Amino acid sequence: MNQINRVAIVGGSHGNELTGVYLVKKFHQYPNLINKTSFETLALLGNPKAIAARRRYIDKDLNRCFTVDNFQSPTSSIYEELRAKEIQQILQPQNQEFVDVIMDLHTTTANMGLCIILGNMHPFLLQLAANLSFINPLVKVYSHQQTSGSGFLRSLCPLGFAIEVGAVAQGILDAELFQQTEQLIYAILQYFEEFNQGKIPLINNTLTLYKSIGSVDYPRNEDGEIEAMIHPQLQFKDYEPLHPGDPIFLTFAGKDILYQGESTVYPVFINEAAYYEKGIAMHLSQKEWIHIS
């Protein structure tokens, strides 16, 4: 990879995640904040109808609509499927190459802090993540790999990634997290600028990576109703070790349910509000240390 020519910053793929929405609006108002000399930066609102309605989506989660099947389907009545096609065309105008980088902005009700989500293990992304986490120790890196066109916006190009920030409630702004996200974006854009100018030193050759190994649903009865909550000892403990035998859920009757896994794992996205409908109480990850050469 020799040059980054076009970068897309997308906020508001989920209409009630306001940090990305208002950052993109700010960049529209003050484009000099994201303009660089060596590449073009596009700031895009992902789901305008959901943003106007202050809802996560209108018909369907937009961040699951960037699929091969959807792009190949000639017609659809689902708004987010149509919007996904529009976004693909925006990111690849006629007679132009697809954008080199997609930076997808999200917030979460889970205690994820400042998190970079990598959809693949591209060496450039690993170097970027290593530098960002070295410069700012608050930055965590989570690997949730997907194939191209698997549904996530970030899967549309090899250098696609998400910034996930929390904990913040849906539909509100948190000034501190807003500012932290904004500064992280500026650091990323500056990294791209220096990369294009051949000035990037490898300031950190080790990356702490939380690698996805699956997810866990809430305990449910035969009718699909939830029978237990995230245990108080686990709530807001994203990235912290969960050992076999540790409490993971608490039933409504007050009984502890213990983690039955065979090894220590590191939960993330614990008790994310938007994942109740997806049958996910948390994702589980392994903590790894990657050498960057």
Side-chain angles (χ1 to χ4, degrees):
M1 197 180 84
N2 299 318
Q3 181 85 11
I4 291 172
N5 296 310
R6 299 174 66 231
V7 174
I9 302 173
V10 183
S13 293
H14 298 136
N16 58 2
E17 297 178 5
L18 300 189
T19 297
V21 171
Y22 282 95
L23 278 170
V24 167
K25 288 184 177 182
K26 180 173 181 175
F27 299 150
H28 286 168
Q29 186 175 2
Y30 306 103
N32 60 298
L33 293 173
I34 57 173
N35 285 345
K36 296 293 180 180
T37 60
S38 67
F39 61 87
E40 175 190 359
T41 307
L42 169 69
L44 176 66
L45 290 173
N47 195 330
K49 286 190 177 181
I51 292 167
R54 292 293 177 94
R55 292 166 51 183
R56 183 173 175 85
Y57 54 80
I58 300 300
D59 297 319
K60 182 179 180 180
D61 190 337
L62 175 62
N63 206 30
R64 303 298 185 272
C65 290
F66 297 93
T67 64
V68 174
D69 288 345
N70 181 37
F71 293 144
Q72 292 179 346
S73 175
T75 60
S76 175
S77 60
I78 295 174
Y79 168 69
E80 277 80 10
E81 290 182 351
L82 296 172
R83 180 59 179 162
K85 293 178 180 180
E86 291 175 354
I87 290 173
Q88 186 193 41
Q89 293 174 356
I90 292 169
L91 299 183
Q92 187 177 22
Q94 190 172 8
N95 300 323
Q96 291 193 43
E97 296 292 326
F98 202 83
V99 294
D100 299 293
V101 177
I102 297 173
M103 196 185 314
D104 190 17
L105 309 181
H106 291 270
T107 56
T108 171
T109 61
N111 190 29
M112 295 290 284
L114 289 175
C115 181
I116 304 293
I117 301 181
L118 305 182
N120 64 70
M121 300 290 280
H122 194 291
F124 180 85
L125 292 180
L126 294 177
Q127 285 194 349
L128 169 65
N131 277 266
L132 292 172
S133 59
F134 179 80
I135 294 169
N136 185 352
L138 295 177
V139 172
K140 299 288 196 301
V141 184
Y142 174 55
S143 170
H144 186 202
Q145 297 189 46
Q146 307 94 29
T147 58
S148 176
S150 59
F152 292 90
L153 172 60
R154 61 182 177 269
S155 72
L156 290 184
C157 74
L159 299 185
F161 62 93
I163 298 177
E164 190 82 54
V165 182
V168 58
Q170 296 175 343
I172 71 167
L173 286 164
D174 180 297
E176 183 176 9
L177 290 175
F178 183 97
Q179 291 178 323
Q180 290 179 354
T181 307
E182 184 177 9
Q183 292 306 312
L184 183 58
I185 291 169
Y186 297 152
I188 292 169
L189 295 177
Q190 184 60 29
Y191 184 94
F192 296 159
E193 181 87 328
E194 293 180 2
F195 171 81
N196 283 347
Q197 297 170 354
K199 297 179 181 178
I200 286 293
L202 183 59
I203 61 175
N204 185 25
N205 62 1
T206 302
L207 172 64
T208 301
L209 187 72
Y210 295 86
K211 188 174 182 180
S212 176
I213 57 173
S215 63
V216 175
D217 192 8
Y218 296 91
R220 298 177 185 269
N221 63 23
E222 59 185 13
D223 296 322
E225 290 289 331
I226 289 175
E227 293 188 308
M229 307 164 279
I230 299 295
H231 198 280
Q233 293 183 27
L234 183 59
Q235 181 65 41
F236 298 124
K237 298 296 179 63
D238 300 75
Y239 310 111
E240 296 190 20
L242 178 67
H243 306 286
D246 285 348
I248 183 171
F249 295 110
L250 180 69
T251 71
F252 299 123
K255 179 183 177 181
D256 291 350
I257 297 177
L258 306 182
Y259 175 58
Q260 300 296 319
E262 298 180 355
S263 61
T264 298
V265 293
Y266 295 80
V268 295
F269 285 107
I270 299 171
N271 208 13
E272 160 58 42
Y275 287 176
Y276 276 72
E277 69 178 34
K278 299 181 187 299
I280 298 173
M282 70 195 74
H283 285 277
L284 301 180
S285 70
Q286 293 176 333
K287 189 176 183 179
E288 301 180 356
W289 289 266
I290 306 295
H291 181 76
I292 308 297
S293 56

